[in-house]
Each structure stands twice: as C-alpha cells, then as structure tokens.
Amino acid sequence: MPAAPPRVLIAAFEGWSDAGAATTTVLQHLGELIDAEVLHTIGSEGYVDFQVHRPKIAFDEDGNRVLDWPDTRLYGSVQRPAEPEDPAAETVRRLDGTRVTDLFLLAGVEPARDWQSFAEQVVEVIDIWGIDTVILLGAMYSDAPHSRPIVTSISTESAKRRAETGAKRSSYEGPVGIATVVDLALAEAGISAVSLWAQVPHYVHSAPSPKATLALLDKLEELLDVVIPRGALLDEATEWEANIDRIAATDEEMTQYIRRLEESRDEALAAETTGDALALEFEKFLEQPDQHSARLEDPEDPEQRGEPGEEE
C-alpha cells in the first residue's frame, strides 16, 4: 500500500508577523475551501492582552449573548460518513485530483506574555493530533515595489527539509515574533517545520495585501504538491495594484520613490539571474569530469602542445 500523505499544519498569528493581513487571509481562504471546523482550542487567558485584543460579544443560534475570546484555534476538516463528496466542489486537491483531508490550520493572535509556555502548548497540540510537518507563515513590511512579484523566502532548522524544499537556514539576528519562538520549539521537539515569509510593500501598510496572500498560496502549492483554488483573490490583487497605481499617479514624490524601488528590484533580479546562469554552466561543466580530464591530459592533442592542428 502507498504511504499515507503527511498530516500538515499551516500556522499564522495576527500581529507583528502578519503584514498586510497576508498570512491570516491565507488561513481564512484555506479554511473556507476545506470547510474547516474548530478541533482544539488554546485558551487566551494568561497569554493575550485583552486591552489590545478585546473579546467580542455576539448572539448564538439560540439568541443568547456569548463572548468570543481571542483564543488560538486548531481547525481541520471533519469527515462525516453521511455526507458524500461533491467532485465539483472547490477545495484543496492533490495533483491526482483527490481531496486533501489531512490539512490543519492554527490561527490566533500573537500572545503578549509567556511565549515559551504558549509554544509548549502548540507543540503539545501538534503531538496530540499526530501532525507530521508544520509550515509557519509570516509577512513583513519591506522596501518592496507593489508593481513587481512579491518576494517570498523559505527557511528551516532541518537539514533534511532544506534538501527537500530548497529552503535555507535563517541567518537573521535580531527581534523576533511568536512564529520564530514556535519554530525553535518545534525544532527542539524534533518536529519537521519550515517558515514561509512574504515581503509586503511598506508604503501601503494600511490596507490588506491580496497580492502577498497569493504569493504565499503559490509557495504552499509547491511545498505541498497540491492545487489551491484562488477564488476572488486574483481579481482582488489586480484591483489592489491598480488602486495603488492611481494613488501614485497623483503624487509625484510617491511615483519617484516607487520607480527607485522598481529599479533596485530589477537590478537585484538581474544580478541573481546572472549568478544562477553562471552556476548552471559550472554545474554542466562538472557533470562531465572524465571528458575534461581526458582533454587536459591528452599529450597527442596538438592544441595542448601549442602546435596547429590538421586542416580539414
């Protein structure tokens, strides 16, 4: 029998690591696609500052007033035998068309205190639900032009995962958010995890960034070998970019600033492309060591003796 697909958790936290609401929008989009339901809750009491993230009051189905606390919740699909699958339904599917059922989502706000204790609870939840691998999402504001593709990066502490995904080990030193604390706690517990981050233009910080959300979804497809329907996100990203273009068109200073960012990004991309091309040519050279060695050592080669070769 073929091996069962891995049980995957995708986690994101509202706050410092959620620039442009890119990561929480990813979880919301995926949750709608897989009809996610709450499976487990990490209570907010003791972790969250309620003056920053206030509980909300609403009416339940019976008309009672209930409080909705800013807890961290694990979501997943619940399979019920009486519910036949709709083959035409938009959902997350594997490349062979089968529905993904072992995808979990962890959503919450960044805690204000006791981060180590919180990270230990996340590790415990992952162990309880038998999750095999974790993808931690992040988005940060940077000097990124909105008119160019959103830059994403993948890092992991696991050498095995670096070999599998092409990720790198992070060399960053400085202040971090809860995603990094959880990442290191997972590594210490021997749980496979990667961090996926997107760069969001800092000059549009007051609005959600659907283009960054799309960039994260693109990378998730690559990492998981799945197909994720985009829904209205493509149109929203196009409108987002067009709106910024319209605003910039009325502000010459902003237009010039964006142009400088574009030039810097294009130069960096050109340098990276040139470097990749040189590396590829060098790899091709090394793929045929015997031929190159034979040529270097052939005493009968007139070119190597500095003599002219025979004319054709």
Side-chain angles (χ1 to χ4, degrees), residues 13 18 20 52 55 63 65 73 119 149 164 175-176 190 221 240 271 273 298 300:
F13 300 96
D18 187 32
V52 177
R65 300 176 77 207
R73 298 181 175 93
E164 292 172 345
V176 299
E221 279 192 334
W240 173 84
T273 302
D298 186 0
E300 300 301 323

Side-chain angles (χ1 to χ4, degrees), residues 176-258:
V176 299
I178 189 61
T180 301
V181 176
V182 171
D183 184 22
L184 294 178
L186 293 173
E188 185 176 350
I191 298 171
S192 171
V194 298
S195 294
L196 170 59
W197 283 72
Q199 295 183 16
V200 180
H202 68 87
Y203 52 89
V204 286
H205 59 84
S206 61
S209 178
K211 190 171 180 178
T213 296
L214 284 175
L216 291 171
L217 289 173
D218 289 344
K219 284 299 180 181
L220 286 174
E221 279 192 334
E222 294 178 17
L223 288 170
L224 301 176
D225 284 334
V226 298
V227 178
I228 304 173
R230 301 301 195 268
L233 282 171
L234 290 169
D235 291 336
E236 291 173 5
T238 300
E239 183 179 359
W240 173 84
E241 190 168 333
N243 285 338
I244 299 172
D245 287 340
R246 283 193 289 269
I247 295 172
T250 63
D251 187 333
E252 182 60 27
E253 185 177 348
M254 183 177 182
T255 298
Q256 292 179 1
Y257 178 69
I258 293 173

Side-chain angles (χ1 to χ4, degrees), residues 35-111:
D35 296 324
E37 300 181 27
V38 177
L39 305 177
H40 194 107
T41 299
I42 298 176
S44 54
E45 189 72 36
Y47 294 122
V48 176
D49 183 345
F50 296 134
Q51 291 184 322
V52 177
H53 300 284
R54 294 182 180 275
K56 300 176 182 178
I57 195 163
F59 290 95
D60 64 13
E61 295 178 354
D62 298 323
N64 299 314
R65 300 176 77 207
V66 293
L67 287 170
D68 179 23
W69 296 91
D71 300 327
T72 298
R73 298 181 175 93
L74 177 74
Y75 297 86
S77 300
V78 177
Q79 304 299 310
R80 297 182 173 85
E83 297 179 356
E85 180 185 349
D86 180 4
E90 275 205 335
T91 187
V92 181
R93 298 186 182 276
R94 306 195 190 282
L95 298 183
D96 61 5
T98 57
R99 183 173 182 174
V100 174
T101 57
D102 289 328
L103 181 63
F104 300 85
L105 310 173
L106 186 70
V109 301
E110 183 174 63

